[in-house]
Amino acid sequence: MGKKKEKQKRQSMLTQVKKAHEKAGETAGGYGFRLIGAFFCDFFYYIGHALKWIVLVGLILTAAISLVLFVKYGDDYRSFAKEADEIIANSKAEDFRMDEVTYIYGADGSQIAELSSGNGKSSYLKYEEIPKAAVNAFVAIEDRSYWRNIGIDVKGLIRVAVDFVTSRGDNMAGASTITQQLTRTIYLTRERSIIRKIKEMMVSIRLTRKYSKQEIMEFYINTACFSNGIYGLEAASKAFFGKNASELSLSQTAYLCAIPNRPEYFNPYKHPERALERRDKILKDMYEEGYISKIAYQEARQEKIKVEKQVSEFNNYETTYAVYCAVEYLMQLHGFEFRYQFQNDADYKEYQESYEAAYNLEKSNLYAKGYIITTSLQSDAQDALQQALDNNLAFATQTNPQTNVYELQGAVTAIDNTTGKVIALAGGRSQENLNNVYSLNRAYQSYRQPGSSFKPLAVYTPALMYGYTPETTVYDIDVKTAQQPGVDISSLRGTAMPLRSAVEQSKNGVAYSVFYEIKPSNGLEYITDMKFDRIVPQDQTLSAALGGLTYGATTVQMASGYATLVNQGEYRSPSCLVSFKDSSGRELYKEEKPRRVYSAEASSQMLDILKGVLTVGTAKSMKWSESSEMPAAGKTGTTNGSKDGWFCGVTPYYTVTVWVGYDTPKTLDNLYGGTYPAGVWKDAMLYLIQGETAVDFN
């Protein structure tokens, strides 16, 4: 009723105005302009009322959600508050110095790596030393209410509350202030949950009470991750521009301030162009907030950014692998869920993105938190594997014209069968006076088609689990015929032979037909059970029986698979970690229990079959028995066009797997599993087993 009276009153006023102007002889045009003005007054009147309702609804919604959260977590509130009080009571300025050094040791106690974030105390900037432009940039892009808020952004929380409701509780992210980001980095885990968000806000509010805004900004800028294990603006400035932060231009400052939002995505060494767009947004926000003039904004946008050339992080392969194992263990400790099966390609790619983000975050933490890590890596075995690879591929001297790295490459991994630990690995050929040769560790980073070396793991041992025996009659069918549409593979026949002979002679037709019988999904399930992490839905085809995979496998993964056969079907996750202590000396490492994948009987039968590969099969030219009395078993692997050559072999003591090929696949004459790869394997294995008593497999 009130609204109706207000409307009638305004209409009456307009009528009176109209009569007054008509009486005064006002023109129709003048009256029209005033009528338009009255219309806009009316329009903004309604908009004002609508905005009031929107704000009111937002406040009501926030209050309702707060009530729901209180009902759900009310009993935990006191414990959350107590935890937050304790965190802040015990907090000290030293908490925000990311300058502790992590040490990694080999099996003999020798130090193999010293990891630092690059942000030692000499790189720590006091607030007055931080460029004003950097402070303004972070405020403009991350938290415009920073200087006014209490550690949390109340307006932003309304948006988060709406997201929480619309996502039915799945999404509790966003609206993180600079203080909240600092809290999350230093004091809390990185899990995405409403409980963590509540704790984050509680700690942030208390942090704001204890420290000044200038101190919190100082802490934030010195603990921000700038990718590549680099913390702090000063360290980032030196790493990417070769200068102190005080010498940065406005454009360079904005460029660096773009990185912490997504450190790996904006990694200047890998993707120097990606941060440019966010740099421009930061500059625009700074201009809109009045921090810089229009001229400064335009000039900074036009400035070219040149990142310093990346230098190889390490000069050996064992260190890169040790870091990889340590980072993945931190991911595990902090709740990352590793996956090995995927619904579709989109699911796989989404997982890879989340993995990469988590990996790089934990890598940065590894460099800054002062861990003490002991590994199973043996320097003498490392040298032996490297020498075996270098010597057997010494004939190929052609190098890549851009990198000067040898084009023909290889990788070797050795596992101690007793412990399941990686004791040595060579991720490529060594080259003196070449910094970038170790930037790619092919032993665990290069996924290649495994060819026939994949058959024992995905086809034949599973077949033995399904009732086949070494003497079961199988048929070497014609694979091309079997691949024709509408062909009944079960009706095809070829040369008949016992399964043992088919493995020894690496008959593709037999592997194809057996895989058809046991079904690809069943065979590949054994593979994913052994944590082969790049098996995708597209691999659920019969071609996988021949090692034709979308992405492939690494020598580390293949070694863990063959070591499983030696250990009677019990799988141990490949790693080189033995001890993992935090800076206070507290042990964090827990050994993963072995998990049964194959039966002991099937594993023993498979090993017995694989012995024949070295005596009468595709690797007989290696003449192993003439070099050693130690029982050995293995399998060759060669992909189409001789682009990849493999030899995966075992003795009772060790498992060694070898890959040879080009980084960009191409044909190499005489590359078969029984040639160069078998030569590398033989030299490496002979070194490892010297002095060991000749015993048979269990």
Side-chain angles (χ1 to χ4, degrees):
M1 187 68 182
K3 289 184 178 179
K4 185 176 181 181
K5 287 184 177 180
E6 286 185 12
K7 186 175 181 180
Q8 290 174 345
K9 185 177 180 180
R10 288 196 302 276
Q11 188 63 44
S12 176
M13 290 174 63
L14 286 172
T15 302
Q16 292 178 13
V17 170
K18 178 180 177 181
K19 289 181 178 180
H21 285 294
E22 287 176 347
K23 189 174 182 179
E26 184 176 49
T27 64
Y31 169 70
F33 279 118
R34 282 177 167 75
L35 191 61
I36 291 172
F39 167 77
F40 278 108
C41 287
D42 207 37
F43 172 77
F44 286 115
Y45 171 84
Y46 282 113
I47 288 296
H49 270 280
L51 289 175
K52 289 179 182 178
W53 277 106
I54 291 172
V55 172
L56 181 59
V57 170
L59 291 173
I60 292 173
L61 183 59
T62 303
I65 293 173
S66 299
L67 180 60
V68 171
L69 295 178
F70 180 78
V71 171
K72 187 172 182 179
Y73 299 104
D75 293 339
D76 297 319
Y77 175 80
R78 289 185 179 179
S79 65
F80 293 167
K82 183 179 179 181
E83 183 180 346
D85 288 337
E86 290 177 351
I87 288 174
I88 299 306
N90 296 323
S91 75
K92 49 190 180 301
E94 286 72 21
D95 294 347
F96 307 99
R97 285 187 177 273
M98 311 292 279
D99 55 10
E100 295 185 85
V101 178
T102 291
Y103 295 96
I104 302 180
Y105 299 93
D108 60 358
S110 62
Q111 181 180 307
I112 62 175
E114 179 180 313
L115 310 179
S116 171
S117 66
N119 186 19
K121 294 183 179 179
S122 62
S123 294
Y124 189 93
L125 297 175
K126 299 293 289 182
Y127 181 77
E128 56 270 17
E129 298 172 324
I130 299 172
K132 190 67 176 177
V135 174
N136 293 337
F138 278 122
V139 170
I141 192 67
E142 297 288 350
D143 185 3
R144 293 190 178 187
S145 69
Y146 174 74
W147 299 109
R148 305 184 305 274
N149 66 45
I150 60 173
I152 61 174
D153 180 9
V154 178
K155 291 182 179 179
L157 290 177
I158 295 177
R159 174 175 57 80
V160 174
V162 173
D163 289 344
F164 179 75
V165 171
T166 55
S167 67
R168 298 183 179 181
D170 290 335
N171 187 12
M172 190 60 182
S176 289
T177 62
I178 282 176
T179 311
Q180 285 176 262
Q181 294 177 42
L182 177 65
T183 295
R184 186 164 59 244
T185 298
I186 303 300
Y187 296 119
L188 301 177
T189 64
R190 285 159 291 280
E191 63 175 330
R192 283 178 173 268
S193 71
I194 189 169
I195 292 177
R196 196 224 67 200
K197 197 72 176 178
I198 294 172
K199 290 180 180 179
E200 179 184 296
M201 291 188 290
M202 285 182 164
V203 175
S204 297
I205 292 172
R206 287 160 175 77
L207 199 68
T208 305
R209 293 174 188 163
K210 181 167 183 174
Y211 299 102
S212 69
K213 286 289 186 178
Q214 288 77 9
E215 287 176 313
I216 292 174
M217 180 60 72
E218 175 186 315
F219 299 154
Y220 175 77
I221 287 179
N222 282 287
T223 58
C225 178
F226 291 83
S227 76
N228 298 289
I230 298 169
Y231 282 94
L233 183 66
E234 180 74 358
S237 179
K238 291 177 179 178
F240 301 130
F241 295 124
K243 61 176 68 174
N244 295 325
S246 60
E247 302 172 303
L248 293 170
S249 68
L250 172 61
S251 181
Q252 290 173 328
T253 300
Y255 181 88
L256 292 181
C257 291
I259 300 171
N261 179 259
R262 293 175 64 187
E264 187 55 26
Y265 180 81
F266 293 121
N267 186 336
Y269 286 150
K270 295 181 180 179
H271 312 289
E273 75 290 346
R274 287 183 177 176
L276 290 175
E277 184 177 350
R278 187 167 173 82
R279 176 205 65 175
D280 294 345
K281 184 183 188 316
I282 290 175
L283 291 170
K284 183 173 182 291
D285 288 354
M286 292 177 72
Y287 168 62
E288 291 176 350
E289 290 294 296
Y291 292 131
I292 58 175
S293 66
K294 186 174 183 179
I295 294 177
Y297 163 59
Q298 293 173 336
E299 289 179 348
R301 281 199 60 177
Q302 295 301 316
E303 183 178 323
K304 301 295 183 182
I305 296 294
K306 183 178 180 181
V307 176
E308 291 281 308
K309 187 176 181 181
Q310 182 181 19
V311 178
S312 180
E313 189 175 21
F314 304 111
N315 61 355
N316 60 68
Y317 292 118
E318 58 186 338
T319 301
T320 58
Y321 182 65
V323 168
Y324 163 77
C325 291
V327 172
E328 282 212 331
Y329 192 71
L330 283 177
M331 293 169 67
Q332 178 184 327
L333 283 180
H334 294 149
F336 183 82
E337 295 184 9
F338 293 92
R339 295 178 55 196
Y340 307 98
Q341 294 182 335
F342 307 97
Q343 297 178 356
N344 48 49
D345 193 50
D347 183 35
Y348 168 78
K349 290 180 179 178
E350 182 179 349
Y351 169 77
Q352 289 299 322
E353 289 178 2
S354 65
Y355 172 92
E356 185 177 7
Y359 183 91
N360 286 285
L361 179 60
E362 296 300 353
K363 183 178 180 182
S364 297
N365 288 328
L366 177 70
Y367 277 60
K369 298 298 180 66
Y371 297 106
I372 302 171
I373 300 168
T374 303
T375 71
S376 56
L377 297 171
Q378 301 175 11
S379 58
D380 59 338
Q382 180 70 32
D383 292 341
L385 263 64
Q386 190 67 65
Q387 186 175 354
L389 185 64
D390 290 345
N391 290 348
N392 280 273
L393 301 185
F395 67 91
T397 58
Q398 187 171 354
T399 60
N400 184 300
Q402 279 75 43
T403 64
N404 290 324
V405 174
Y406 288 131
E407 288 194 337
L408 181 63
Q409 284 294 340
V412 195
T413 296
I415 285 180
D416 183 331
N417 294 332
T418 303
T419 64
K421 298 292 183 182
V422 174
I423 61 168
L425 75 172
R429 298 167 64 184
S430 61
Q431 288 180 253
E432 294 182 2
N433 304 318
L434 194 61
N435 289 331
N436 63 336
V437 71
Y438 299 103
S439 60
L440 174 63
N441 191 329
R442 297 165 185 82
Y444 76 92
Q445 290 180 311
S446 290
Y447 291 76
R448 303 300 294 242
Q449 305 295 319
S452 294
S453 65
F454 197 58
K455 295 173 183 176
L457 303 180
V459 182
Y460 292 125
T461 309
L464 294 170
M465 297 278 289
Y466 277 89
Y468 281 72
T469 72
E471 307 310 322
T472 297
T473 299
V474 290
Y475 298 93
D476 186 21
I477 67 173
D478 182 72
V479 174
K480 290 185 177 180
T481 301
Q483 292 174 335
Q484 296 299 315
V487 172
D488 180 9
I489 296 177
S490 62
S491 66
L492 296 179
R493 291 291 182 270
T495 303
M497 63 187 70
L499 186 140
R500 179 186 298 275
S501 297
V503 177
E504 292 170 346
Q505 302 304 321
S506 197
K507 297 297 185 180
N508 285 342
V510 172
Y512 203 86
S513 62
V514 171
F515 205 50
Y516 170 79
E517 291 296 330
I518 68 171
K519 294 184 173 53
S521 59
N522 292 327
L524 292 177
E525 187 174 354
Y526 292 94
I527 301 301
T528 55
D529 279 351
M530 293 187 291
K531 298 184 179 181
F532 282 60
D533 62 347
R534 297 203 177 181
I535 302 298
V536 293
Q538 299 94 300
D539 294 327
Q540 299 286 341
T541 66
L542 294 177
S543 295
L546 312 181
L549 303 174
T550 304
Y551 296 101
T554 67
T555 59
V556 171
Q557 291 174 339
M558 295 297 287
S560 70
Y562 275 77
T564 300
L565 298 177
V566 181
N567 287 299
Q568 298 183 308
E570 285 195 338
Y571 169 81
R572 293 177 175 86
S573 183
S575 173
C576 66
L577 299 182
V578 174
S579 173
F580 199 120
K581 297 179 180 179
D582 62 18
S583 58
S584 64
R586 181 168 59 100
E587 183 62 68
L588 304 176
Y589 187 70
K590 291 183 179 180
E591 194 68 59
E592 185 177 320
K593 293 182 179 179
R595 185 175 70 254
R596 180 158 297 285
V597 175
Y598 305 117
S599 70
E601 182 181 8
S603 300
S604 296
Q605 288 178 328
M606 192 72 253
L607 283 177
D608 187 59
I609 294 172
L610 291 175
K611 285 182 180 180
V613 174
L614 277 68
T615 56
V616 297
T618 54
K620 65 180 180 180
S621 60
M622 188 201 310
K623 298 181 180 179
W624 173 259
S625 61
E626 296 180 13
S627 303
S628 174
E629 295 179 356
M630 186 72 70
K635 185 70 184 75
T636 57
T638 309
T639 61
N640 290 338
S642 293
K643 295 177 180 178
D644 297 278
W646 288 78
F647 190 82
C648 301
V650 298
T651 61
Y653 297 100
Y654 298 100
T655 295
V656 174
T657 53
V658 182
W659 164 82
V660 173
Y662 293 93
D663 288 331
T664 301
K666 64 178 180 179
T667 298
L668 172 65
D669 292 338
N670 200 39
L671 174 59
Y672 302 99
T675 56
Y676 310 122
V680 175
W681 181 88
K682 180 179 179 180
D683 290 349
M685 186 62 82
L686 285 174
Y687 176 86
L688 293 175
I689 64 172
Q690 61 182 336
E692 301 285 4
T693 303
V695 296
D696 206 347
F697 298 100
N698 290 331

